[in-house]
Amino acid sequence: MSTDARSKIEKLREKIRYHERKYHEEFAPEISDPEFDKLMDELKGLEEVHPKLATPDSPTQRVGGEPVDEFKEVTHTRPMLSLDNTYSAEELREFDGRVRRLLPDTEFDYTVELKIDGLGVSLHYEDGVFVQGITRGHRFGDDVTPNLRTIRSLPLRLTPSVVPGDIEVRGEVYLKHKAFEWINAERKKAGEQLFVNPRNAAAGSLRQLDPRITASRPLNVFIYGLTAPEETPFQSHDEALAALEEAGFPVIERRRRLPTIEAVIEHCLAVEAERGRFDYDADGMVVKVDSFELQEKLASTAKHPRWAIAYKFPAEQATTTVERIDVNVGRTGAVTPVALLAPVRVGGATVSRATLHNEDEVSRKDIREGDTVLIERGGDVIPKVVEVITEKRTGREKSFVMPETCPACGAALHRAEGEAARRCTNAACPAQMRERIIHFARRAAMDIEHLGPKIVDQLIEAKLVGDVADLYGLTVEKLLPLERFAEKSAANLVAAIEASKGRGLDRLLFGLGIRHVGERGAGILAENFAGLDALIEVAKSKPDQLEELQEIGPIMAESLSRFFSEPRNLKIIEKLDAVGALTELARPEATISQVLEGMTVVLTGTLKGYTRREAAEAVEARGGRVAASVSPKTDYVIVGDEPGSKYDKALSLGIRSLNEAEFEEILAGRLPGPG
């Protein structure tokens, strides 16, 4: 192989990376597009002649690979928590007060940065090379690595010696305004449905099963932080972002390190004033305690980090007319009044509906059909009515009266003491049916592959399902008459439904869509009850006993009691039992030895008997934590076929590496002896 060819290819790659950075990150291109394309064509030609010199980090790999049938689900090394929101200077001061109470007599700085309205991603690098990208999710996300490779502003190789070679960062994928307008113009020409806003368009583009479609859309990315800062040499968030920027990442903009909350407020208001000048959507500022050590001390709640908060910009507003007030029945039975509006542009989108929340809100604001109203997109996303412009009333406006019975099934609506919403408690209510079935099939619930919203609509329209239990009565013969169903697709769906029968009590409880019972609550209940019958008995007769369980409060206990006291809900449970969907409800994890309690494990290579997600879940079920990279704090590295640089680093640090057989010994509750 020619040394000259290798040298020429490397020089071309460096030259292309330089011009990509000048164009996409510094916005100061030095060559024309045709000149750039000529460099890229030259590199492609050389790699075709010398295929052994083609590498995953080459700029030519951005063009997009072959389409896939579905995205692979991946476990995040750490949950991607959302931020708590604040909307005023006073609320920022309250946040500062909470932090200072948790850190008495401690001096610290804040870092403040722009909050991009995009799609969250987690990006993994090994030996400085981009190897995997995952979408946002509390525990799990979709592997969209080929699609992320197409983003020109995302570096495929990092500048050496600036940041550790093995690193995980998180950021936001977004579209600039001009790019969004171009995409919608192209979709309009093709007769396709237009995207509502840039965030919607970015999400739709990144989640394409064909990476070549993603490559045709000019997505961008901003990086806003490290995933495991304690495993890096940096002391603070601001220091880490500066190093990430030097390594080649486009880091979040309008960043300042400030000593007091008053300086933070001043900066937030200054950036808010120039909001209209941004060429992308930003809906606020993020305020973070800068020190990584103090972030670790402050830790997180189940939903939000205690060391950070989002200051949201005020929503944009417009006036329009309420043409009619309708009611919607949601998945949990909440009956919500909705204003149907004369279409109006606000915050970059056309709005024709706005939630009125509940009957008390309608009464308090005195919203009537025919009123002229001021609306805004809360957080620049959810439209709501701010106020009625009463001076424009003509006397022909019509007051709204909330129905006493469910508009879909006729059941009486229940309004619990202290709550604003009326609810239909009939789980078989037709209006709730679609959303309940979609929720039941979610990955975090019963994980029924191939059962998406469009299929659910077909099943309901054909009267094949009336509740979630009816799914288990579907057969290939029943599905074949439906549009888009062939023998193979029908068999796949039936097999996926059958496979969901043994998902476990936690996922069944979450899948039933019981109000106030999320993934965490369902898991706690499953850990304390061997089966559904035992839980139902306690929920119906002694709901106060549920409150004795950690993290189960009176609101969740009351909700469980009401759900399992409704005869129509119990009928669904009986149907699930009759078709065998409740045969494997006990959570074996509850009795698993916590052999890895407090230990950190890293996975590398391909295991023959486990997917990466299955292996990670097995570690977590035994009390361990799965980390993205090897550090001196790592206890074990599980090594499969074709391990990466993590294995080499474990050897250099003297960390115990285990093969798959030894990993299975751990899963059986036995730690390996001295290596």
Side-chain angles (χ1 to χ4, degrees):
M1 186 179 298
S2 169
T3 303
D4 290 343
R6 184 188 298 274
S7 176
K8 189 171 184 179
I9 285 174
E10 281 303 321
K11 287 179 180 178
L12 261 176
R13 286 174 182 163
E14 285 304 313
K15 194 171 185 179
I16 289 171
R17 290 184 187 119
Y18 171 80
H19 287 298
E20 282 184 329
R21 184 165 184 172
K22 295 298 289 185
Y23 184 90
H24 293 284
E25 297 171 42
E26 300 177 20
F27 310 107
E30 295 181 355
I31 61 175
S32 66
D33 288 349
E35 288 174 304
F36 180 86
D37 293 340
K38 187 176 179 181
L39 292 174
M40 187 68 81
D41 289 340
E42 184 180 356
L43 178 58
K44 288 178 186 176
L46 285 169
E47 289 182 346
E48 287 172 2
V49 174
H50 305 281
K52 291 186 178 180
L53 295 180
T55 60
D57 63 313
S58 173
T60 59
Q61 298 304 301
R62 294 191 187 277
V63 296
E66 293 300 313
V68 296
D69 294 328
E70 61 181 8
F71 292 122
K72 180 183 176 183
E73 191 176 64
V74 181
T75 303
H76 283 296
T77 54
R78 291 190 177 189
M80 291 189 76
L81 300 177
S82 60
L83 293 172
D84 199 4
N85 293 327
T86 183
Y87 298 89
S88 67
E90 189 54 41
E91 288 177 339
L92 282 175
R93 294 186 183 101
E94 290 172 3
F95 164 73
D96 180 63
R98 291 193 299 272
V99 171
R100 294 189 183 280
R101 283 193 293 274
L102 292 169
L103 299 172
D105 303 318
T106 304
E107 294 296 322
F108 58 86
D109 291 335
Y110 287 112
T111 295
V112 193
E113 61 203 29
L114 205 55
K115 184 176 182 296
I116 306 301
D117 192 12
L119 182 71
V121 291
S122 178
L123 309 172
H124 297 254
Y125 288 76
E126 292 184 5
D127 285 338
V129 176
F130 175 59
V131 294
Q132 187 179 53
I134 311 166
T135 59
R136 177 183 292 281
H138 181 74
R139 290 188 62 196
F140 310 113
D142 290 330
D143 187 335
V144 291
T145 306
N147 294 1
L148 284 164
R149 286 186 187 279
T150 70
I151 300 177
R152 300 281 180 179
S153 55
L154 189 153
L156 299 181
R157 176 180 288 277
L158 304 180
T159 302
S161 304
V162 178
V163 296
D166 292 352
I167 196 170
E168 179 185 352
V169 298
R170 288 179 174 171
E172 293 280 329
V173 172
Y174 69 98
L175 273 170
K176 294 182 180 180
H177 292 156
K178 287 185 178 179
F180 170 67
E181 292 165 5
W182 175 81
I183 290 173
N184 264 351
E186 292 298 307
R187 292 177 72 84
K188 187 175 182 179
K189 288 179 189 176
E192 297 174 335
Q193 184 176 352
L194 302 186
F195 287 116
V196 175
N197 53 47
R199 186 190 185 282
N200 177 263
S205 300
L206 188 62
R207 292 183 180 277
Q208 291 291 324
L209 293 175
D210 187 346
R212 291 169 295 192
I213 297 177
T214 306
S216 70
R217 297 176 180 173
L219 294 172
N220 267 290
V221 65
F222 273 130
I223 302 305
Y224 60 74
L226 284 166
T227 302
E230 74 278 4
E231 298 174 7
T232 71
F234 310 118
Q235 302 301 310
S236 73
H237 175 67
D238 187 63
E239 179 189 351
L241 282 187
L244 291 174
E245 186 171 26
E246 187 180 348
F249 287 108
V251 301
I252 209 75
E253 296 187 332
R254 305 305 199 278
R255 187 174 87 251
R256 291 278 185 86
R257 181 175 175 175
L258 300 166
T260 67
I261 197 65
E262 294 306 318
V264 166
I265 292 169
E266 183 179 351
H267 182 55
C268 287
L269 295 177
V271 175
E272 181 184 319
E274 61 171 322
R275 175 188 184 186
R277 303 175 196 167
F278 304 153
D279 62 352
Y280 47 79
D281 282 354
D283 57 356
M285 302 291 286
V286 179
V287 181
K288 302 175 181 178
V289 172
D290 190 50
S291 164
F292 285 149
E293 181 183 357
L294 296 182
Q295 287 182 9
E296 287 291 312
K297 285 184 179 180
L298 291 166
S300 303
T301 67
K303 294 183 178 180
H304 313 294
R306 293 190 180 93
W307 46 266
I309 200 164
Y311 167 74
K312 302 299 286 290
F313 293 147
E316 294 188 40
Q317 299 180 331
T319 58
T320 187
T321 305
V322 178
E323 296 182 336
R324 192 171 83 253
I325 298 178
D326 206 347
V327 291
N328 284 347
V329 183
R331 174 177 60 81
T332 61
V335 179
T336 305
V338 177
L340 305 183
L341 309 167
V344 63
R345 292 285 295 179
V346 56
T350 299
V351 173
S352 58
R353 297 166 63 89
T355 179
L356 299 178
H357 300 292
N358 54 66
E359 57 189 304
D360 290 348
E361 183 77 354
V362 178
S363 177
R364 183 179 69 82
K365 293 181 178 178
D366 190 20
I367 303 170
R368 307 175 189 179
E369 293 181 348
D371 268 337
T372 299
V373 293
L374 179 68
I375 66 165
E376 70 178 22
R377 294 181 65 212
D380 280 352
V381 177
I382 303 171
K384 65 179 180 180
V385 174
V386 179
E387 64 180 358
V388 175
I389 304 176
T390 54
E391 56 267 28
K392 292 196 174 185
R393 279 184 173 162
T394 64
R396 294 191 295 272
E397 292 77 18
K398 182 180 177 182
S399 296
F400 170 74
V401 179
M402 193 74 176
E404 295 291 329
T405 58
C406 176
C409 70
L413 299 181
H414 171 77
R415 181 172 177 175
E417 184 177 352
E419 291 192 4
R422 292 178 187 257
R423 297 180 184 277
C424 172
T425 57
N426 174 17
C429 172
Q432 300 179 55
M433 184 195 315
R434 177 181 185 271
E435 296 304 319
R436 282 186 175 275
I437 293 174
I438 291 171
H439 176 77
F440 188 79
R442 285 177 57 186
R443 285 179 177 172
M446 301 302 276
D447 192 15
I448 303 178
E449 201 174 0
H450 312 298
L451 186 59
K454 291 182 180 178
I455 299 298
V456 172
D457 289 339
Q458 282 186 280
L459 297 175
I460 293 173
E461 186 176 346
K463 294 184 169 49
L464 291 177
V465 296
D467 55 49
V468 296
D470 289 339
L471 292 170
Y472 296 93
L474 293 175
T475 62
V476 172
E477 292 72 27
K478 290 180 180 179
L479 293 172
L480 283 177
L482 301 182
E483 186 181 354
R484 294 194 299 271
F485 269 103
E487 188 81 30
K488 184 177 180 180
S489 56
N492 286 342
L493 178 55
V494 171
I497 293 171
E498 182 67 22
S500 73
K501 289 182 178 180
R503 294 289 186 233
L505 180 56
D506 57 338
R507 296 174 76 164
L508 175 74
L509 285 171
F510 179 58
L512 287 173
I514 305 169
R515 189 168 181 242
H516 299 304
V517 180
E519 289 182 64
R520 175 66 178 162
I524 292 169
L525 292 168
E527 288 170 0
N528 287 276
F529 290 91
L532 193 55
D533 288 342
L535 172 59
I536 292 174
E537 181 179 350
V538 172
K540 289 174 64 177
S541 60
K542 302 173 183 177
D544 55 314
Q545 288 187 6
L546 296 174
E547 298 177 39
E548 297 174 7
L549 303 178
Q550 187 176 6
E551 297 186 47
I552 305 296
I555 294 175
M556 190 188 300
E558 182 184 356
S559 181
L560 287 160
S561 178
R562 182 177 296 116
F563 184 89
F564 290 122
S565 296
E566 167 57 53
R568 284 171 284 200
N569 296 340
L570 294 178
K571 183 66 176 177
I572 293 174
I573 301 295
E574 291 173 7
K575 288 170 66 177
L576 287 169
D577 192 20
V579 297
L582 309 185
T583 56
E584 301 177 47
L585 290 178
R587 272 179 62 95
E589 291 92 337
T591 60
I592 286 177
S593 169
Q594 299 297 285
V595 66
L596 293 173
E597 182 72 39
M599 295 186 183
T600 298
V601 174
V602 172
L603 303 169
T604 183
T606 302
L607 298 175
K608 294 177 181 177
Y610 307 86
T611 64
R612 182 63 64 92
R613 173 181 171 180
E614 289 169 343
E617 287 182 338
V619 169
E620 292 169 356
R622 288 154 180 81
R625 182 178 80 86
V626 177
S629 57
V630 178
S631 77
K633 297 181 181 180
T634 304
D635 294 286
Y636 295 113
V637 175
I638 311 301
V639 182
D641 293 339
E642 299 182 9
S645 61
K646 297 175 185 178
Y647 177 51
D648 296 330
K649 188 170 183 179
L651 291 176
S652 69
L653 293 175
I655 293 168
R656 182 72 183 274
S657 296
L658 307 177
N659 59 30
E660 189 161 349
E662 292 171 313
F663 178 52
E664 290 179 338
E665 286 289 305
I666 290 180
L667 300 190
R670 297 182 291 273
L671 287 177

